[in-house]
Amino acid sequence: MTYSPTATSAWNSLQQQAESASAERITDFFTENPNRTNEMSVECGQLHLDFSKNLVSDQTWQALLALANQSPLETLRAAMFSGETINTTENRAVLHAALRAEIGDQKVAAAVEESDQRVSLVKQQLSRVKLVSEKIRSGDWVGSTGKAITDVINIGIGGSDLGPKLACSALQEFAHPNINLHFISNVDGAEILSTLKKLDPETTLVAVASKTFTTQETLLNAKTALNWFEQQLDLKDAQTTSHFVGLTASRENALAYGIPNEQILEFAEWVGGRYSLWSSIGLSIAISIGYDRFEEMLDGAREMDIHFQSAPAEKNMPVIMALLGIWYNNFLNAQSIAVIPYCERLLLLPSYLQQLDMESNGKSTTADGQPVDYDTGAILWGQTGTNGQHAFFQLLHQGTRLAPVDFIALAKDNMSNEEHHRVLLGNMLAQSSALMCGQKAPAGEPHRYYPGNKPSNVLLLKELSPKNFGSLIALYEHKVFVQGCIWNINSFDQWGVELGKKMANQLLADNSDSSAPLDASTQALFAYIESCQ
Ligand code: F6P
């Protein structure tokens, strides 16, 4: 039978409850149930989530859990982990979890053998990441003039950039002291040209990171880097030298580009681009923090995978976060979710999560090919605290829109000191509390009214270790997956990005296809730009 979330009894019940939800106060829930914080807190490894400050009564919470239960979540979760082709529009399995699995992890009898074979393949592919990263870190990998590598440029975009860039920034506490990582993604030439200007080609290595090895931006940036090496070092075919490695699921395309076979670090096609930091796309992470710590990161993700597969829904961190998001998105008309890390090293987390969440769940066709008649993925945005407090928090406290917040912080920070960290955490806790509690306006000063009743989660990591970072990213991966299951959409394709790519190619080709002429505005803008050259 075809599933639709809106046809479930839980959806119906939630709709009814939503009508009275705005009259409820989160603070009253705490008065009614003094044990609320305890009941609405969960742990996974060194991650602690307090979700008690949500506009969710006990009754609503039960209905949300029922919604998960009435959805195909359980079946699809088993299907994903056991390697079934759940990405139907691309005819692919979805197995990023296999990148951090161990032999024997798979418990579905029919899938054990295949799973163990996959894990062996992954281990083999990751052993190349270990080998290459260790050679670079130790100075044994030398450029064409025999000098050790001091600078690594990861050229990639989307999933081939955001994950490694975030991980290297988040885990800078563990960074190699003498090797600098650079990330070039945008096709804006100013980015790569200004980076190259600062570097010495003799000691620079380029990692061309692209699942497909066909992405326009990546190939143009790689070409610019290639020309730079050739001109500066008087080289021919620089892509064949030790200044280039390729990270890809298409060995064939990387070979055709000229990268030598032994300098290609491959990963499997069943790893989605936005889930690829755990694969050889993560080479830059292993170079920066060392392979052992890269493995710790994988281990943290695996811990979350196991939790996601085994914890009951009411104690399951990804399921809980997904259900709360659905409550606000589909029943209380919130159009966005804010992610605010109180940690400057996690500055890039919101932009990483934008791809993970919005490319996965920004869909309007169901898995059965029907148009959806309910909202799907929310707009995800964010910035670090306390900086955000001095920018957009005004809207969170007194604006007219509902924007639930995920506050993320480190209980302990080895890179800070006691005084700073106390102030940072104090601010985070105060914001989460102020959003919920609000405050009456003093007489005659209506502008000082804080309505409160604004929901937030607080997610604490004991510390920002590679392991905890891995758990954090896997948590959001699974949250997005759960929402996709409930919305009955394919979270693993990204057809929405194709049209713009095609039109850019058409526009740049200069041989306009007369059967698909550009619209008048675009033609005029193009002509204006040309007249300025
Ligand atoms: O934007 C579309 C997309 O396919 C992303 O999903 C992907 O991460 C990115 O482009 C880069 O693709 P590739 O790794 O193949 O260069």
Side-chain angles (χ1 to χ4, degrees), residues 48-69:
H48 174 95
L49 171 70
D50 175 348
F51 62 102
S52 61
K53 293 203 262 337
N54 278 288
L55 189 46
V56 171
S57 66
D58 286 349
Q59 194 194 5
T60 301
W61 186 231
Q62 291 311 317
L64 285 166
L65 291 168
L67 180 64
N69 201 25

Side-chain angles (χ1 to χ4, degrees), residues 157-160 210-213 215 273-274 355 359 494 497 501:
I157 197 163
S160 299
S210 176
K211 179 177 175 184
T212 55
F213 234 82
T215 303
R274 52 192 174 274
Q355 188 200 16
E359 196 168 73
Q494 55 284 318
V497 301
K501 284 189 201 169

Side-chain angles (χ1 to χ4, degrees), residues 156-227:
I157 197 163
S160 299
D161 165 71
L162 291 163
K165 188 163 61 182
L166 165 66
C168 288
S169 167
L171 302 174
Q172 59 192 260
E173 182 185 345
F174 311 99
H176 192 288
N178 305 320
I179 300 179
N180 303 309
L181 274 300
H182 311 265
F183 292 87
I184 299 293
S185 53
N186 202 320
V187 75
D188 176 354
E191 196 189 11
I192 185 155
L193 293 172
S194 57
T195 301
L196 293 176
K197 221 177 258 173
K198 290 180 271 181
L199 301 182
D200 176 354
E202 290 188 79
T203 58
T204 299
L205 173 93
V206 166
V208 185
S210 176
K211 179 177 175 184
T212 55
F213 234 82
T214 59
T215 303
Q216 181 195 51
E217 294 94 324
T218 300
L219 292 184
L220 181 51
N221 279 323
K223 184 174 127 196
T224 299
L226 196 83
N227 292 341

